[in-house]
Amino acid sequence: MTALAGPSADAFWATSLRRWNAVCWVLFAAMAVGIAALGRPGGGMYEALALLGSVVLCYAVLDRFPDNPVVRPHGYLTVLVLALGGLAYLRTSYAALFMVTLPHYWMFGRTPRISMGFLGLATASTLLGSWLLQGWSAEFLGETAVSTLIVVAVGVLIGLWAHSVVAQSTERARLIEELERTQAQLSAAHQRQGAADERERLAREIHDTLAQGFASIVVLAEAARAAMAADPGRSAQQLRSIESTARENLAEARELVGQGGQAGAAVAGSAAPALRRVLDRFVEDTGLTVDADLADLDCDQRTRIALLRCTQESLANVRKHARASTVGVVLARRPYGVELEITDDGAGFVVEESRGFGLDGMRKRVAELGGRLTVTSSVGDGTRILASIPLAQGTEGAA
């Protein structure tokens, strides 16, 4: 068996030692009185009192000064073993001392091997002292040896049981401590992951709303400045678009601040009107041809926001990169949910080489709703973006 260590074992033995101390002092005093009252001067009484006194003195020093360098636990047990042999030889209170100090082997031995080793030495010392006094008599064999071995056997069983209990308690305490430490680590990891997810979500919201709006304002401002002298009417229209876009961005910023970027309640409604407004603004700002087929179908607010953000991001990419002349937008209901398809006849790109934040943000936004975003494109052949999102029950019907 291994040594018991740790806070639980130390606390157990400290508590046991404190409780047994009070009993020990009473029993030591009773033994001293018994030796003095029943013994005869010159008949070994003083020797017996000296042996008992040495045990009491060592025990008192160890109890009062547990860290002293002179009397250590194993030193006290050694004195106890010798005193038991001497008292057995003097035939004076050795049995009482043996029973009183039986728990000390387990308290101060600290491991089953050491405890049983000292207990075996105490048994041998006691039997040796009795044998030197009585020889191989019937009294020695029938009373002393048998009673001593019975007491030792009971002490061993009780000690091993106590060590087993302490070992189980120590293991439970270790497991509980490990569990608490793991829970704390998981909680910290969840908090870090939650913070990272929140930062990513806010970054996606800002990219899909404010950043796109600011990019549109920059493009419109550059176009208005270039056309200010040649086409004042066109410049005035672009300035109005800048003002409108800035107001929309301001509203988006207030919503992000007020609601933390969270989508509102999942109220069913049609996504088509918001998409039409976005497409109308896109046509007004760019002059490109937009072929739109928008089914007036109901879906929850998170789905409507995802469809709107995908449309805004796709149109922003068309404006910045595609050099297209025609854009097609189809919103349709399918057996599994809703499908948004956006195509253009622009320059296209290599999908595998794309590292833009916008496409990745669209994929994650659609994936959060259990859907899938498919991007198909090649250089010179335009681009097709298909967002497929399942609808929650109760929102499949078309208006």
Side-chain angles (χ1 to χ4, degrees):
M1 298 179 66
T2 57
L4 293 177
S8 298
D10 292 338
F12 175 84
W13 293 124
T15 302
S16 301
L17 191 58
R18 284 195 301 270
R19 293 175 179 175
W20 192 247
N21 275 345
V23 178
C24 279
W25 292 121
V26 173
L27 295 178
F28 283 151
M31 282 188 288
V33 171
I35 292 174
L38 300 178
R40 300 186 305 276
M45 179 183 70
Y46 297 120
E47 292 85 347
L49 287 174
L51 291 172
L52 179 61
S54 64
V55 173
V56 173
L57 178 61
C58 290
Y59 183 68
V61 172
L62 190 60
D63 178 46
R64 296 289 295 179
F65 309 100
D67 297 326
N68 76 90
V70 178
V71 181
R72 305 306 301 150
H74 292 174
Y76 163 71
L77 293 179
T78 302
V79 172
L80 181 59
V81 167
L82 296 176
L84 283 171
L87 290 174
Y89 178 75
L90 295 173
R91 201 177 179 80
T92 306
S93 299
Y94 73 92
L97 182 62
F98 203 143
M99 289 185 289
V100 168
T101 58
L102 195 59
H104 290 183
Y105 298 99
W106 302 98
M107 293 178 181
F108 295 115
R110 303 302 301 276
T111 69
R113 178 176 298 178
I114 295 176
S115 299
M116 293 180 66
F118 275 105
L119 188 56
L121 292 175
T123 304
S125 176
T126 301
L127 293 178
L128 177 62
S130 299
W131 176 76
L132 291 176
L133 178 66
Q134 302 172 357
W136 294 105
S137 62
E139 181 182 2
F140 169 76
L141 295 174
E143 296 181 7
T144 303
V146 172
S147 60
T148 300
L149 292 176
I150 290 175
V151 171
V152 170
V154 172
V156 168
L157 292 176
I158 293 176
L160 291 176
W161 171 80
H163 268 275
S164 175
V165 170
V166 174
Q168 294 176 3
S169 300
T170 303
E171 180 64 16
R172 282 196 297 269
R174 186 189 65 80
L175 292 175
I176 291 173
E177 181 181 358
E178 182 177 348
L179 178 60
E180 291 176 347
R181 184 168 58 253
T182 303
Q183 288 176 336
Q185 293 173 350
L186 286 176
S187 177
H190 288 161
Q191 290 178 354
R192 290 193 298 269
Q193 184 61 43
D197 291 344
E198 180 68 8
R199 286 194 299 268
E200 181 180 351
R201 185 186 60 78
L202 285 175
R204 189 169 62 237
E205 292 290 343
I206 292 172
H207 175 273
D208 292 348
T209 56
L210 302 182
Q212 298 293 357
F214 289 139
S216 178
I217 289 174
V218 170
V219 172
L220 290 170
E222 291 175 347
R225 185 175 65 250
M228 187 173 296
D231 191 352
R234 178 64 176 171
S235 296
Q237 179 184 349
Q238 290 168 336
L239 288 174
R240 287 193 297 270
S241 295
I242 290 175
E243 179 183 0
S244 178
T245 302
R247 291 184 184 277
E248 291 176 0
N249 264 25
L250 180 60
E252 293 280 3
R254 287 172 175 169
E255 182 178 355
L256 287 173
V257 172
Q259 300 182 8
Q262 297 285 355
V267 180
S270 177
L275 297 186
R276 288 193 184 96
R277 288 193 297 270
V278 171
L279 294 176
D280 291 342
R281 172 60 60 78
F282 178 77
V283 171
E284 180 182 344
D285 292 346
T286 64
L288 299 180
T289 300
V290 175
D291 183 10
D293 182 9
L294 306 178
D296 194 12
L297 56 90
D298 287 344
C299 51
D300 61 88
Q301 186 166 346
R302 291 185 65 197
T303 302
R304 294 200 304 273
I305 291 175
L307 294 172
L308 178 62
R309 299 302 184 224
C310 288
T311 302
Q312 290 173 325
E313 176 63 24
S314 299
L315 294 178
N317 289 336
V318 170
R319 174 184 297 179
K320 290 185 291 185
H321 308 297
R323 301 190 300 275
S325 59
T326 302
V327 177
V329 180
V330 177
L331 177 66
R333 184 164 66 89
R334 299 290 183 244
Y336 54 81
V338 60
E339 187 176 270
L340 174 67
E341 182 184 42
I342 303 174
T343 59
D344 68 72
D345 59 355
F349 63 99
V350 179
V351 177
E352 291 75 13
E353 296 179 0
S354 174
R355 298 293 183 267
F357 184 83
L359 287 178
D360 186 59
M362 283 194 290
R363 289 191 181 94
K364 291 182 178 179
R365 188 185 292 276
V366 172
E368 287 174 356
L369 299 175
R372 181 179 180 182
L373 184 80
T374 304
V375 180
T376 306
S377 182
S378 60
V379 177
D381 291 333
T383 301
R384 175 177 179 264
I385 294 178
L386 180 64
S388 303
I389 302 176
L391 290 179
Q393 292 184 357
T395 60
E396 291 92 347

